[in-house]
Amino acid sequence: MADVLPLVEARLRSALGEPDARAAVTFLGTDRIEVLRFPAGGPAGGPVGGPAGGQESDIVRYATLGMAAQPMADPTAALADPVKGPRAELVLSVRSGLADTDKVLRPLAVLAASPQVEGVIVTPGASLDVGEALWPGAPFTSVLVAEPGGLVEDLELDAPLDPVRFLPLLPMTPNEAAWKRVHGAPALQERWLTHGTDLRDPSRRSVPLD
């Protein structure tokens, strides 16, 4: 079976431009996960899973590379299928120059390794928590997985492989994450939209939840 990661990287480059940095992280018992940094001013435009506001030219994007190397397995299955199953990579978009967001590389790699480490399937609407600030001083320790397709189109693979989906991540404050657990992801996204929340602001405050 052909390695899918060169195809994944080619799709990321075509959508986001040339990365200006990359870091590799290997966790015990897992494949290597890379995180690519795409500088502000790249070709990508349009919304990333929710309201944003402002200009696209100041957005820096971080994308994982390696999560899609193997399909995510159903944790209840007795035996994981080595070929069929959902595949994904993660994409985070933030405004550049407002925080030390480059320190997000390891937390992103941790999240990308979670299907292998924890046996979970990452899907839109899910919450992912790293248990610490996403970057120094960040008011976020978790993210909401948003719907794919708006920023990087799905990568179709030869049958019987499932396509690779590029899932946007929307940082959540602890209060937002707790509210989402009770009311659900659509309700939180609607609240963000109603209040015009800039989800790419690396130091934003929690949306009003009363």
Side-chain angles (χ1 to χ4, degrees):
M1 193 70 66
D3 186 359
V4 304
L5 295 187
L7 302 175
V8 171
E9 182 168 355
R11 174 58 55 89
L12 287 170
R13 288 173 179 266
S14 67
L16 305 179
E18 291 298 311
D20 65 351
R22 62 198 301 158
V25 180
T26 302
F27 304 98
L28 183 64
T30 70
D31 297 330
R32 184 175 74 166
I33 300 291
E34 289 189 275
V35 181
L36 280 57
R37 180 186 187 275
F38 295 89
V48 184
Q55 299 298 314
E56 291 292 329
S57 60
D58 66 344
I59 303 298
V60 60
R61 307 183 195 275
Y62 304 91
T64 64
L65 179 64
M67 183 177 173
Q70 54 184 286
M72 293 181 279
D74 184 346
T76 64
L79 185 63
D81 190 318
V83 176
K84 298 185 68 176
R87 296 173 188 258
E89 298 289 356
L90 309 176
V91 182
L92 174 70
S93 302
V94 294
R95 299 203 177 281
S96 63
L98 301 179
D100 189 9
T101 55
D102 284 349
K103 296 293 177 61
V104 78
L105 299 183
R106 183 173 177 81
L108 278 183
V110 169
L111 297 180
S114 61
Q116 294 185 58
V117 174
E118 302 175 20
V120 299
I121 297 180
V122 178
T123 57
S127 300
L128 303 176
D129 196 319
V130 298
E132 61 183 12
L134 292 179
W135 52 81
F140 320 105
T141 63
S142 63
V143 294
L144 174 65
V145 182
E147 292 288 342
L151 180 63
V152 184
E153 291 184 3
D154 292 353
L155 173 63
E156 298 292 336
L157 301 174
D158 292 338
L161 276 62
D162 287 24
V164 178
R165 307 175 81 194
F166 298 87
L167 302 173
L169 301 180
L170 309 177
M172 294 188 293
T173 67
N175 285 344
E176 290 171 339
W179 196 88
K180 180 259 179 185
R181 284 194 295 270
V182 174
H183 300 279
L188 177 59
Q189 290 178 300
E190 180 63 29
R191 190 160 289 261
W192 280 336
L193 184 63
T194 299
H195 290 272
T197 305
D198 183 358
L199 297 176
R200 294 155 171 163
D201 181 351
S203 57
R204 72 172 181 85
R205 296 185 177 184
S206 179
V207 70
L209 298 171
D210 297 333

